[in-house]
Amino acid sequence: MKLFITLLSIIVSLNCFGWGQTGHRVVGQIAQNHLSSKAQKAIQEIMGRESLAYASTWMDEIKSDDHYDHTHVWHWVTIPDGGNYVEADKNPDGDAVEAINRMVEILKDESAENEKKVEALRFLVHLVGDIHQPLHVGNGTDKGGNDVKVKWFGSNSNLHRVWDSGMLDSRDWSYSELVTQLDCSCEDSILAYQSTLNPADWAAEAMSYRSQVYETGDVERMGYQYTYQNWDLLELQLFKAGIRLAGLLNSIYE
Ligand SMILES: [Zn+2]
């Protein structure tokens, strides 16, 4: 029984990684590229040599450390179809929206210890990425697509994992290659994407892609076709996440 529970917890934790390492690093690096000089300096004082891309995956690494078990539920938020964050039932242990807001407050708090700020930044970089993965804003019926079992290029997978890493891994770009491709100095788009820095709005936007995300076609034969239909959205969400993370950090260190 104990082995079964251990295996189950490994499977569950594998299923909620959020973007996988490549996606999170793309978000961190794009944010880094768009920091104001004030934010850059303040973050360097907190983090030393650790870049935002490097910090972005820490929240998945600590899943192996009991000390951080309470943070597992922060990776996502549940908002049923047709609902919104304010009205949705809240997980008393936290969710991605409230955790992002809480990390921003820690970073703004001049009396907070540096060690606390290092963690807050690592959480924040990761969570702004997660909340832009459309299935990290779950509808409350299928564990963010984890219960939608699919065959991905012939192997057992599920819809959540396809979005976390399946599509990214199938195209096989490195995070820095993707950043080179996605990032731009396109001021109009950047201003538009940064027009709201409220994570509840980002969650509402992620929900607006739900019908597209669930259009799987034959779940026994997913791969090229699904990637073709969703790659633009995936790139857009990674880019917006990076740009908005930069906007949030710039607003903290104005
Ligand atoms: Zn995550």
Side-chain angles (χ1 to χ4, degrees):
M1 187 63 186
K2 199 170 171 209
L3 179 66
F4 174 73
I5 291 170
T6 309
L7 281 173
L8 193 71
S9 66
I10 291 168
I11 292 165
V12 169
S13 63
L14 280 176
N15 279 349
C16 54
F17 258 40
W19 284 134
Q21 298 193 332
T22 305
H24 278 295
R25 287 169 183 158
V26 168
V27 173
Q29 185 60 52
I30 289 176
Q32 188 96 44
N33 294 352
H34 293 271
L35 290 177
S36 65
S37 46
K38 265 190 180 169
Q40 216 167 357
K41 190 162 168 280
I43 290 168
Q44 204 175 4
E45 270 168 26
I46 296 169
M47 303 294 275
R49 284 171 49 82
E50 186 172 326
S51 69
L52 297 184
Y54 195 90
S56 70
T57 55
W58 174 79
M59 198 172 170
D60 285 331
E61 289 147 23
I62 58 170
K63 284 178 178 166
S64 307
D65 184 342
D66 300 351
H67 176 68
Y68 291 103
D69 279 357
H70 63 287
T71 69
H72 289 188
V73 297
W74 302 352
H75 290 258
W76 71 87
V77 59
T78 301
I79 308 177
D81 285 346
N84 61 60
Y85 180 74
V86 174
E87 288 166 11
D89 290 338
K90 309 289 184 302
N91 186 334
D93 298 325
D95 61 58
V97 171
E98 75 77 32
I100 288 172
N101 288 330
R102 191 152 35 87
M103 297 314 144
V104 170
E105 290 313 311
I106 292 170
L107 291 168
K108 282 182 176 167
D109 178 1
E110 283 171 18
S111 66
E113 288 169 19
N114 198 67
E115 207 179 321
K116 197 126 199 270
K117 290 188 176 183
V118 170
E119 286 200 354
L121 253 174
R122 289 170 174 167
F123 282 127
L124 186 66
V125 176
H126 184 92
L127 292 172
V128 173
D130 273 353
I131 206 168
H132 283 80
Q133 202 279 49
L135 287 167
H136 274 249
V137 182
N139 61 19
T141 69
D142 63 5
K143 300 192 182 74
N146 274 295
D147 289 344
V148 182
K149 302 301 174 199
V150 309
K151 284 260 192 302
W152 183 249
F153 288 102
S155 297
N156 290 330
S157 188
N158 65 66
L159 191 57
H160 188 96
R161 208 193 300 171
V162 165
W163 271 89
D164 272 357
S165 54
M167 288 191 282
L168 279 163
D169 291 348
S170 76
R171 291 263 168 118
D172 202 24
W173 297 107
S174 71
Y175 89 86
S176 47
E177 287 166 340
L178 274 169
V179 170
T180 304
Q181 193 60 42
L182 296 185
D183 203 5
C184 60
S185 322
C186 37
E187 284 308 317
D188 290 351
S189 303
I190 290 171
L191 282 176
Y193 295 144
Q194 289 177 341
S195 64
T196 174
L197 297 176
N198 178 351
D201 292 336
W202 303 340
E205 185 190 67
M207 287 172 69
S208 73
Y209 303 124
R210 245 179 221 168
S211 56
Q212 175 178 336
V213 167
Y214 279 93
E215 257 175 49
T216 57
D218 182 355
V219 292
E220 293 294 316
R221 294 167 54 84
M222 284 181 72
Y224 292 117
Q225 181 75 21
Y226 188 81
T227 306
Y228 179 71
Q229 285 166 359
N230 289 283
W231 186 260
D232 288 353
L233 176 60
L234 179 148
E235 284 192 338
L236 180 65
Q237 288 300 94
L238 290 175
F239 181 63
K240 283 193 295 198
I243 290 297
R244 287 167 173 170
L245 174 59
L248 202 53
L249 292 168
N250 292 343
S251 75
I252 295 171
Y253 303 108
E254 260 171 350

